[in-house]
Amino acid sequence: MSRKLVWLHHVLWILLWFLLQNQYGQMIEDSRTAYPSNLQRDVAIKAVHGQITRYDYAKETIQFKTDGGEHWLIVKIPASDFEKMMCTDNEGTVTIDINEAQWTATKNPNVFDYDRYLYANHFEGRYTYEAFIPDTQKAHGVLGFRNRVYIALHNLELPQLSSILTALFFGEATALSTYETYRALGVLHLFTISGLHFGVLYIMFNRLFCIGDIRIRRLLTAIVMLLFYLLIGGGVASLRALLMAGYTVVAGFVKRPVDRLNMMIFINMIIMLLMPRVILTAAYALSFYAYIGVAYILPKFNRFMSPYAEKMVKNKVVNFFIQYIAVQIYLIPITLYVFQTFNLYSFIANALLIPVYGFLMPILTAYFFMFAAFPNTAIVLWIGKMLNAVLGFMEAIVAHLPIKTVTFYGIQSIDIFCLLMLFFIFTAVTALKQYRHHRNRVLYLLIQILLLASLTAEWHHRLDDSLKITTIDVGHGDSSLIEYKGLTVLVDSGTAYANVYTYLLSNHISHIDYLVISHRHDDHIGGVAMIAKNLKIDAVICLSDVQDMIESEGMLCRILPSSGKIVYKDLTLTYDYALSSSDPNNNGTLMLLTQGDFNAVFTGDLSGNTLNQFDLPNDIDLLKVPHHGSATGYDKSFFENHHIDVAVVSQNRRYNMPSSEVIEAYQRGGTTLYSTYNDGNIQFTVSDHKMHIKTYLGNRDSRVFDD
């Protein structure tokens, strides 16, 4: 294998990754600077001609390519219009609001970023559907054929077979009757077209084409895979598998041996040149990383094992499980990096189900081709009934599997640390067996030690005793996380869609000492149900109307009095409430945090006038701006009596906040103002009588303020 090719690949990958990361961040900043959240944008309906390049049947969205070459995602298409579009020409005119705000998703570390997903998949915009007028009323081409097959499958009166085929070949996994069970077991990837399925397809057709010349056999197999790829419209993993099949065919015709790692690097470079942004996706990382494990690491592991377990490895069943476990251990670091989780039981479930569906995959693929070509013939329907019965029996068994999901979250957990140590030992021992020269052994061990140290850096970082206050970006809503020497306090939870629960897990929070709910509005309380269902909450601070909601949901939490004081070491939380029969925003809880000379105030949606009812210090180091920066949260007398060093607004574009009047008032008072719309997730760290501010977006990470 050429060392120059390896170095070129690594340099290209690193440069692209940093360039794209920087480009994405700059794009978000420019977009939000050009269109402030409090700027009302006029509706500008525009008709744009182009063609539909892909249908997402599960989400009822389309990918649209304009005549100018821009790729858009069109969302919120009514079900009736979506069905009509599937039966008409893919070329036509789509009507959208061209002034619709772009790149407005929440920005938090270690959680899914929808804007980044769109960017990585080469979309230039996401627009809400208004109308679509096709050039002709007759569907044609590959997409037209694909839509006809999808409609025929949905009309097929064989529920198990229909749901499995639509999940496998059209990405509609939610159609599975055992979807929740598969999701809990961590095996949904078996029902998403990937490199695994293309590998099975390659083996199947390579054996079906009984032609003496292996080159012709591989060529025919590659052609079938190309047709299959065009039909099902697979992602980057499918493209990788297709290009590998083509590489094998070309190598056969030029009579060159196929080096698997060399092939992978060459194809990776092609994909990076054709679709550079795709390297930012999780699917890309997992696909290529898994292939390295199967094609390169696994053979070395087998050679290492053979002297010690020769008889055991010769048993095919035992050999499969040994190899599977080896690959899964190899995948632990990338799984932790991408998903921040490691599901131990999915490890077992995959080992049990992969062989079963590996056996069924060729049969289902062959049937899919038969059904696509001859959907209404008697023999196809008869075979379908047999398969439906088998799949029904299997789904009944899966639905009653006793395995429950146990997931370790975050590398703070000692379990994850042990798993990383296991990975280190596995790779180090394999390397020591492989490398004969002392210098190579030492070098490899140093690389592994650096890898282990980098993966556990966050684990050690969590031992920091500084006071941390994080304003979580939840869009239009509130949620603040307080962490101090083992104490965890969550103030509000955003909406259910903000998914604060996922943020807490991905940032190593599995237990909440106190949950403070300011008032009963969905943008403050919407995420409570999911958090209470999955995390342990010791006590809740709220008013009686919120308590009624908590009890009606069956949440088992200790409810503290509506006003009081909590003392934890040198940290004090003082909370009180206001009542109003006319304004529900003023029917809420306020909390004051003090630690030494530092204080922070969490206001919920209380009006500025109501704030004067509370006994607050004249100098406020950190203020959560009331009511998302609305004019109702501003009161002149409060500003005259209090000096505020730093204030943070939690909002997005939904209601055109914060008010210009409020912004000007804070600026006149010398307050430094942050907002989740402009800065994303904001973390305030208090130590040594200073407050360090780190924002997820922007260039103000190094700002320091004295108490």
Side-chain angles (χ1 to χ4, degrees):
M1 180 179 179
S2 172
R3 292 187 178 182
K4 292 182 179 179
L5 181 62
V6 174
W7 280 110
L8 178 62
H9 166 267
H10 290 356
V11 170
L12 178 62
W13 189 90
I14 293 171
L15 284 176
L16 265 180
W17 195 87
F18 279 104
L19 285 173
L20 291 171
Q21 283 283 95
N22 183 68
Q23 185 186 57
Y24 169 70
Q26 192 62 48
M27 181 187 68
I28 297 297
E29 286 187 53
D30 292 345
S31 174
R32 298 192 177 190
T33 301
Y35 299 102
S37 60
N38 58 0
L39 178 66
Q40 179 66 45
R41 303 183 69 177
D42 297 330
V43 175
I45 301 298
K46 183 177 180 180
V48 181
H49 189 270
Q51 64 176 352
I52 300 171
T53 58
R54 183 178 174 85
Y55 292 83
D56 188 325
Y57 305 99
K59 299 177 183 177
E60 293 188 338
T61 63
I62 61 170
Q63 296 179 17
F64 188 81
K65 183 179 180 181
T66 69
D67 290 342
E70 291 188 345
H71 290 82
W72 294 345
L73 181 67
I74 310 297
V75 301
K76 297 182 181 179
I77 304 175
S80 57
D81 286 15
F82 189 79
E83 292 175 2
K84 291 177 182 177
M85 292 167 68
M86 290 173 59
C87 300
T88 59
D89 188 5
N90 298 317
E91 294 189 8
T93 302
V94 66
T95 304
I96 59 168
D97 175 11
I98 201 67
N99 267 354
E100 185 173 350
Q102 301 297 319
W103 317 113
T104 59
T106 57
K107 297 289 177 286
N108 294 293
N110 302 328
V111 295
F112 177 72
D113 182 350
Y114 184 64
D115 286 341
R116 193 172 187 267
Y117 163 80
L118 293 176
Y119 174 81
N121 285 277
H122 294 83
F123 289 110
E124 279 80 32
R126 173 188 177 274
Y127 295 96
T128 302
Y129 170 86
E130 299 288 342
F132 177 74
I133 303 175
D135 290 347
T136 63
Q137 293 300 317
K138 185 177 180 180
H140 59 83
V142 175
L143 272 181
F145 179 71
R146 175 179 164 86
N147 291 341
R148 288 194 295 271
V149 174
Y150 176 83
I151 293 170
L153 276 176
H154 260 260
N155 294 331
L156 186 64
E157 297 180 356
L158 301 171
Q160 281 74 29
L161 180 62
S162 174
S163 64
I164 285 284
L165 292 179
T166 52
L168 277 174
F169 303 111
F170 294 96
E172 198 171 325
T174 52
L176 296 167
S177 59
T178 51
Y179 171 78
E180 290 298 330
T181 303
Y182 284 130
R183 186 178 64 84
L185 291 172
V187 295
L188 271 181
H189 66 93
L190 294 175
F191 306 98
T192 304
I193 285 294
S194 65
L196 171 67
H197 301 85
F198 271 78
V200 172
L201 187 70
Y202 181 84
I203 295 171
M204 179 181 73
F205 280 100
N206 207 30
R207 293 181 177 178
L208 282 177
F209 293 129
C210 302
I211 301 172
D213 192 337
I214 191 173
R215 296 176 299 176
I216 302 299
R217 192 161 65 222
R218 288 176 176 174
L219 176 61
L220 292 175
T221 302
I223 292 173
V224 171
M225 291 177 67
L226 174 61
L227 294 174
F228 185 64
Y229 176 82
L230 294 174
L231 177 61
I232 58 96
V236 63
S238 303
L239 179 60
R240 172 188 60 78
L242 177 64
L243 290 175
M244 284 183 173
Y247 184 98
T248 304
V249 171
V250 174
F253 276 101
V254 298
K255 298 181 180 180
R256 294 291 299 272
V258 176
D259 181 287
R260 291 183 176 182
L261 193 59
N262 198 22
M263 174 176 65
M264 186 277 297
I265 288 179
F266 180 74
I267 288 170
N268 193 18
M269 290 177 65
I270 293 176
I271 292 177
M272 285 193 294
L273 291 172
L274 295 177
M275 308 162 58
R277 294 186 194 174
V278 80
I279 69 172
L280 299 178
T281 64
Y284 169 89
L286 287 172
S287 175
F288 280 94
Y289 198 86
Y291 181 79
I292 293 174
V294 173
Y296 191 68
I297 300 298
L298 192 55
K300 298 182 183 301
F301 177 75
N302 288 339
R303 288 198 296 271
F304 166 73
M305 286 291 295
S306 57
Y308 307 103
E310 185 174 350
K311 292 182 179 179
M312 182 175 67
V313 173
K314 284 183 178 179
N315 185 301
K316 291 185 178 180
V317 176
V318 176
N319 186 43
F320 165 77
F321 282 102
I322 291 175
Q323 293 184 2
Y324 170 77
I325 291 170
V327 172
Q328 290 300 311
I329 292 174
Y330 179 73
L331 288 174
I332 286 173
I334 194 69
T335 303
L336 288 173
Y337 172 75
V338 174
F339 299 110
Q340 300 290 312
T341 64
F342 181 82
N343 189 326
L344 185 60
Y345 280 165
S346 73
F347 196 90
I348 303 169
N350 274 278
L352 295 174
L353 293 177
I354 282 178
V356 176
Y357 283 100
F359 172 76
L360 283 176
M361 182 63 189
I363 300 173
L364 293 172
T365 303
Y367 182 80
F368 177 76
F369 276 107
M370 291 171 58
F371 183 84
F374 313 104
N376 296 316
T377 56
I379 184 66
V380 172
L381 294 176
W382 181 78
I383 296 173
K385 290 179 181 178
M386 294 179 60
L387 287 174
N388 189 70
V390 172
L391 292 170
F393 176 73
M394 287 185 57
E395 287 192 359
I397 295 175
V398 171
H400 293 88
L401 282 177
I403 300 175
K404 301 297 180 182
T405 301
V406 175
T407 307
F408 303 132
Y409 292 97
I411 52 182
Q412 179 187 10
S413 167
I414 189 63
D415 301 302
I416 291 299
F417 185 74
C418 290
L419 287 170
L420 290 173
M421 286 300 299
L422 180 62
F423 169 78
F424 169 72
I425 294 170
F426 165 74
T427 52
V429 170
T430 305
L432 290 176
K433 178 70 178 178
Q434 175 190 356
Y435 295 124
R436 297 181 179 179
H437 297 294
H438 177 72
R439 188 196 312 170
N440 289 341
R441 292 185 178 190
V442 172
L443 178 62
Y444 191 86
L445 281 175
L446 285 174
I447 292 172
Q448 292 301 315
I449 291 171
L450 288 173
L451 173 63
L452 188 65
S454 65
L455 288 171
T456 56
E458 178 66 17
W459 183 64
H460 292 290
H461 176 69
R462 302 294 300 175
L463 300 177
D464 186 3
D465 287 338
S466 301
L467 170 63
K468 294 185 182 66
I469 301 173
T470 303
T471 302
I472 304 171
D473 185 3
V474 294
H476 183 83
D478 272 354
S479 187
S480 299
L481 178 66
I482 302 167
E483 301 169 87
Y484 183 61
K485 295 183 178 180
L487 178 73
T488 303
V489 181
L490 183 67
V491 184
D492 288 330
S493 63
T495 65
Y497 299 103
N499 215 348
V500 171
Y501 158 70
T502 301
Y503 173 80
L504 295 175
L505 289 182
S506 64
N507 287 276
H508 327 295
I509 305 298
S510 57
H511 170 262
I512 296 174
D513 296 288
Y514 299 99
L515 173 63
V516 183
I517 302 174
S518 63
H519 64 294
R520 191 174 178 171
H521 272 173
D522 182 66
D523 58 330
H524 294 251
I525 198 174
V528 167
M530 179 62 74
I531 294 170
K533 180 181 177 182
N534 294 280
L535 303 182
K536 182 182 178 182
I537 301 173
D538 286 347
V540 177
I541 299 170
C542 62
L543 296 183
S544 58
D545 57 343
V546 177
Q547 181 178 346
D548 294 339
M549 186 277 293
I550 290 175
E551 292 174 349
S552 66
E553 292 284 343
M555 301 179 194
L556 302 177
C557 302
R558 180 166 58 98
I559 307 296
L560 297 184
S562 300
S563 62
K565 181 181 292 186
I566 298 169
V567 178
Y568 180 83
K569 298 183 179 180
D570 60 338
L571 179 76
T572 302
L573 301 174
T574 306
Y575 56 95
D576 205 346
Y577 64 93
L579 295 176
S580 173
S581 58
S582 58
D583 186 356
N585 288 319
N586 283 328
N587 203 51
T589 299
L590 177 142
M591 187 178 78
L592 168 66
L593 178 153
T594 57
Q595 187 227 358
D597 297 330
F598 174 81
N599 59 71
V601 180
F602 302 87
T603 60
D605 282 354
L606 295 171
S607 68
N609 182 50
T610 305
L611 293 180
N612 292 314
Q613 301 177 18
F614 298 93
D615 183 17
L616 298 175
N618 292 330
D619 290 323
I620 298 175
D621 297 297
L622 176 62
L623 175 73
K624 202 289 297 180
V625 174
H627 203 187
H628 319 289
S630 167
T632 61
Y634 170 69
D635 181 75
K636 185 177 180 180
S637 61
F638 180 81
F639 274 85
E640 290 175 347
N641 296 324
H642 298 84
H643 176 264
I644 303 165
D645 287 336
V646 179
V648 58
V649 189
S650 182
Q651 41 57 253
N652 62 7
R653 295 186 52 83
R654 187 174 180 184
Y655 296 110
N656 302 123
M657 296 181 183
S659 164
S660 298
E661 177 188 2
V662 171
I663 295 174
E664 292 171 2
Y666 279 103
Q667 289 174 342
R668 286 196 303 269
T671 301
T672 301
L673 188 64
Y674 290 84
S675 79
T676 54
Y677 178 79
N678 292 324
D679 301 301
N681 181 285
I682 309 168
Q683 186 178 91
F684 305 89
T685 303
V686 180
S687 63
D688 299 327
H689 301 285
K690 292 183 179 180
M691 179 167 62
H692 303 258
I693 303 173
K694 180 180 180 181
T695 65
Y696 188 65
L697 300 173
N699 299 310
R700 295 187 281 180
D701 295 1
S702 60
R703 294 292 294 273
V704 179
F705 298 89
D706 292 322
D707 285 346

